[in-house]
Amino acid sequence: MLQLYKSRDFGLFFKDTFAFLKTHGAHFFKNYLLVNGLFLALLIAMSYLFYIEVAEMQALGLLEEENYRELFKYLERYSGTFSTYGIFYILLGAFVGILNYSYVAFYFKLYERHQGANFSYKEISNELFANFGKLVKFILATILISIPVMIATLIVMAIMAITIIGIPFILFVIALLSLFYHSALLEYIKSDDKSVFDCYGYSLQLCLQSFFPAIGAVGVFMLIAGIFQGVFGLIQAGILYFLGISIYTDPTYLNDLEKGSSIFIIAFTLQIAIYLINFIVSAIVQIHQAIVYYGLKEDRENIHAQQTIETIGRD
């Protein structure tokens, strides 16, 4: 078992993240797919159908600027179908987004409760659906909080971009924002007596107490994750280019391929793999932020030290 409540420096944030993945990665992602897999598959299938429809409109020339009037007529003709599909697609996308973003928080809540990965996907699912109303409340409050936060963030980023030398440090502003939101969610899921706003206030205190090690670690880890995703994107592009397909000049290339052909199967499989890799990398980034959160929480509250003292006292 990885000790969650533990004082960590910049290096330990990385070391413990990879230690967690090495020890519990199989358990984490097996349950991740069991909990989210069906909904991810539905979303991917609906995305593909949407892609086919867009490709069809492009083939008919409806996406050309001079044919916008015909495009509106086409959309009006099938407005009922498009409206129903669009609403369901948006709702499913939002549901999958909530499920994926909150999965890590519930996983670590159960990991802390069981003192290790001694639980199944059923417990995770029960926690998720039992607290879905709580998640909705968190999201609504987050929207309110995000209005001033995003305005301030955009101003800071704009100033940094103007100075040119500050452009590389924009990544760390994004890292601060990401850790701020995720730490608030982790705290809110763990707590029964704190409001969303209390958790955001607490999260801000955590982010600022060890600012440079924590934000630096999150920023560097996000950079590594982005590079990793980029490499897989280049591999996909390279393989398809070798097969005579350019994904940059022809974004609707899948629709141009003969369905059932070996090239289509390869191209479709690569696209699904990229989708899954993006979701998995996103989950790993959240795992890293959870490790940072528990380290900062230990520094602030000395939870592990208190638990050790209580254990000694009982003995």
Side-chain angles (χ1 to χ4, degrees), residues 157-205:
M157 291 172 65
I159 294 171
M160 294 175 75
I162 290 171
T163 60
I164 299 178
I165 196 173
I167 292 176
F169 297 99
I170 290 176
L171 173 65
F172 297 101
V173 177
I174 298 171
L176 171 60
L177 199 63
S178 181
L179 183 61
F180 171 64
Y181 282 116
H182 200 229
S183 294
L185 176 61
L186 286 160
E187 184 67 19
Y188 185 61
I189 294 301
K190 276 170 47 64
S191 305
D192 295 323
D193 56 351
K194 283 187 178 181
S195 69
V196 180
F197 298 102
D198 290 336
C199 291
Y200 270 111
Y202 183 81
S203 175
L204 183 60
Q205 293 172 359

